[in-house]
Amino acid sequence: MRYAKLERIVKTYYDALEEGKVLGRKCTACGHIEFPPYLACNACGNLDTEWVDLTNTRARILQVLPPLNVFPEMEFQEANNGFVAICVKIDNADPYVTSMVHVGKDAYERIHENMEHIIVKPYIIQGADT
């Protein structure tokens, strides 16, 4: 039986965010990137992964989710000059849902119609309690 040396992935990930960096884990066998980071590769099952800096990595938008008007999202909108939820894909990684900030919900149609041409990059938001 093979044993993996466990790292403190969650701590490393959040410590990096505090420093303004976005990290993922890259599989040493197939090159798949796990974001958010995991110890093992979800593409091939390999246990050997290494940290990769995604801070300046660009992503393509796969989907724009329709705007919502419910209480928690309203606070987030006000704090970040609006937002729309998007599903993004970086090369060699699985898609994930995040927020595109500093855009109002009135931009939904424009973003949806042009999403194949829009490239986004990580933006770290530090809140008072997050």
Side-chain angles (χ1 to χ4, degrees):
M1 175 180 250
R2 182 172 176 211
Y3 294 96
K5 180 183 174 198
L6 297 179
E7 289 184 50
R8 298 178 69 180
I9 294 227
V10 173
K11 181 175 181 355
T12 302
Y13 176 70
Y14 281 105
D15 286 349
L17 287 176
E18 287 287 334
E19 296 173 9
K21 295 180 186 176
V22 178
L23 300 179
R25 298 285 294 184
K26 184 175 183 178
C27 177
T28 59
C30 73
H32 184 78
I33 296 172
E34 295 296 334
F35 180 81
Y38 301 102
L39 275 175
C41 177
N42 284 316
C44 73
N46 182 31
L47 294 175
D48 296 321
T49 61
E50 60 192 11
W51 288 107
V52 60
D53 188 346
L54 301 174
T55 306
N56 293 311
T57 300
R58 304 304 195 250
R60 297 213 174 268
I61 300 174
L62 297 179
Q63 183 180 13
V64 183
L65 288 77
L68 299 174
N69 287 318
V70 295
F71 180 68
E73 284 78 11
M74 295 301 287
E75 284 183 7
F76 189 76
Q77 276 184 12
E78 290 173 15
N80 295 288
N81 297 322
F83 84 99
V84 293
I86 57 175
C87 179
V88 297
K89 173 96 171 77
I90 61 174
D91 293 339
N92 299 320
D94 294 327
Y96 62 96
V97 175
T98 188
S99 298
M100 176 187 280
V101 295
H102 303 295
V103 293
K105 60 184 175 182
D106 57 327
Y108 169 79
E109 291 294 331
R110 184 170 33 91
I111 294 168
H112 185 268
E113 291 170 1
N114 296 294
M115 66 184 174
E116 67 273 3
H117 303 293
I118 300 172
I119 298 187
V120 295
K121 71 175 213 139
Y123 176 72
I124 300 169
I125 300 171
Q126 180 71 42
D129 58 349
T130 58

